[in-house]
Amino acid sequence: ANSNGATSQPAAAKLMTEEARGVGHVGYEVYWSWIKAAGGVLVPITIVIIFTTAEAVQFLSSWWLTYWSQHGDEPRGRLLGIYALINVTAALVGLLRMLVLAYFGYCASRQLFVDMLKVVLHAKMSFFDTTPVGRLVNRFSKGTRRECF
């Protein structure tokens, strides 16, 4: 008993852990882990090449219109055919760019999900005692929804 007659009890044990939040910029290690999960160093190189090609084709389309306007005396069928070919190429490269980004995003998302699942499944029971299930569900769903695409 203490001075006012009450018995002293130990401080209540924490049932849940506090979730730490990062503030500031995203570190390079986060980008590197995404690159590794997506397939390695060739992933960003491939993305840069595809984006550069798409922009080059768009530029070529604009340049061809300028050329056409300055050389209007040439046969229209030839000029129009080349312009159509450039724009079909631009559409195909744009589609390829979208598909490649979706594929790499899928690969990274899947690999990060599998890695996270392995860590959680091999966690000690005390982790599950102090971590709410809702926090785990949120972490799994946000990790595959926002960061990877």
Side-chain angles (χ1 to χ4, degrees):
N2 60 16
S3 61
N4 55 357
T7 58
S8 62
Q9 298 199 0
K14 278 191 151 183
L15 292 178
M16 289 186 229
T17 57
E18 290 293 322
E19 185 175 14
R21 291 185 170 259
V23 178
H25 73 283
V26 177
Y28 292 111
E29 60 276 356
V30 174
Y31 292 111
W32 181 244
S33 65
W34 188 92
I35 289 169
K36 287 191 307 186
V41 178
L42 290 178
V43 169
I45 293 170
T46 303
I47 291 172
V48 167
I49 289 171
I50 289 175
F51 268 78
T52 303
T53 303
E55 291 302 316
V57 174
Q58 288 295 333
F59 174 78
L60 182 61
S61 175
S62 298
W63 177 84
W64 186 254
L65 281 177
T66 303
Y67 175 84
W68 189 351
S69 68
Q70 294 172 353
H71 297 87
D73 54 341
E74 293 185 29
R76 282 190 187 165
R78 181 180 155 274
L79 296 172
L80 183 61
I82 293 172
Y83 183 66
L85 180 66
I86 291 170
N87 283 304
V88 166
T89 303
L92 292 175
V93 170
L95 177 65
L96 179 67
R97 176 175 60 179
M98 184 179 63
L99 291 174
V100 165
L101 283 176
Y103 174 74
F104 286 145
Y106 168 76
C107 289
S109 175
R110 180 173 167 80
Q111 187 60 47
L112 291 171
F113 182 86
V114 166
D115 292 346
M116 190 167 52
L117 184 62
K118 284 180 186 176
V119 169
V120 170
L121 290 178
H122 290 94
K124 295 180 180 182
M125 285 305 293
S126 61
F127 172 76
F128 295 101
D129 292 338
T130 59
T131 306
V133 174
R135 185 182 297 169
L136 289 174
V137 171
N138 285 338
R139 195 61 62 225
F140 273 85
S141 63
K142 285 182 184 176
T144 56
R145 183 189 67 219
R146 187 175 56 206
E147 285 85 10
C148 298
F149 293 106

